[in-house]
Amino acid sequence: MIKSNLYILLVLISFLSFSQNENCTSIYLIRHAEKVRDGSKNSNPHLNAKGILRADKWKDILRNIKFDKILSTNLFRTLETALPISKTNNLEILKYKPSNKFYKKFLEQNNGKTILIVGHSNTIPTFTNNILNKKNIVADK
C-alpha cells in the first residue's frame, strides 16, 4: 500500500529498441515536490518551502544524468520541480498534456534519448503503463 504522505515517485524505465543499432531510451519519471496546501481551492498552487528544497535535491540526485529533454505538465508545482534540473542541464522545460495520443507517439519520437518527465500522482502511473503498453493499474489508497 502506498502511504498518502509519499510525495515523490521515481521510476527509471529503460527500453531497448533493436534495429541496425541498439538504442537505449531512458525515461525518468518523478512526481512534483510538495505544494502549498493553504486550504484554498487553488488548483494551481506553487511549491511550498519543503517542495523547493526537494526540487533542489532532485537536481543533486540527478546531477550525473545528461538529459536530452525535460517535460512537465503546465502547472506551477511540476514546472517548479523541473526548474533546477533544467537549469543544470541548460534545457528548456517542454510542456506536455497527458493524453493517449501523446503516449502513443512518445516512444517513437524519443528513441535513444534520456528524458525527465515531471507529473502528478495520477499522471505518472498512467504515463508508465501507457509507454509499457499495459492496462492502467490504479494503486490502492
Side-chain angles (χ1 to χ4, degrees):
M1 181 179 220
I2 298 174
K3 293 183 179 181
S4 62
N5 65 350
L6 178 62
Y7 294 107
I8 301 296
L9 170 67
L10 173 64
V11 179
L12 167 61
I13 302 171
S14 293
F15 295 94
L16 294 176
S17 300
F18 297 97
S19 58
Q20 288 184 339
N21 297 325
E22 262 185 26
N23 292 315
C24 180
T25 303
S26 297
I27 305 167
Y28 295 76
L29 299 118
I30 61 174
R31 181 184 181 270
H32 63 79
E34 294 87 343
K35 63 186 177 183
V36 171
R37 294 180 183 264
D38 59 5
S40 71
K41 301 256 182 200
N42 181 3
S43 63
N44 191 14
H46 290 274
L47 294 181
N48 63 22
K50 190 174 181 180
I52 292 167
L53 290 173
R54 188 173 311 274
D56 201 52
K57 184 68 174 173
W58 275 121
K59 175 195 70 175
D60 295 339
I61 291 168
L62 300 172
R63 73 180 169 274
N64 295 320
I65 309 297
K66 174 66 178 117
F67 290 104
D68 297 303
K69 290 183 181 178
I70 297 174
L71 285 83
S72 170
T73 59
N74 192 25
L75 293 173
F76 293 134
R77 59 192 174 271
T78 52
L79 292 166
E80 292 167 359
T81 300
L83 187 61
I85 303 162
S86 72
K87 285 181 178 178
T88 298
N89 283 266
N90 198 29
L91 289 173
E92 175 185 354
I93 300 169
L94 304 172
K95 297 174 187 110
Y96 77 96
K97 184 175 181 178
S99 69
N100 288 334
K101 183 178 176 182
F102 172 77
Y103 300 136
K104 285 180 184 179
K105 293 183 179 183
F106 178 81
L107 284 178
E108 66 187 50
Q109 292 174 342
N110 294 290
N111 187 30
K113 298 200 182 312
T114 299
I115 303 162
L116 172 67
I117 307 291
V118 183
H120 308 268
S121 60
N122 64 335
T123 63
I124 292 297
T126 302
F127 197 119
T128 304
N129 288 325
N130 275 278
I131 59 177
L132 291 174
N133 213 11
K134 302 285 182 186
K135 282 186 173 181
N136 193 15
I137 302 166
V138 178
D140 292 333
K141 293 184 179 181

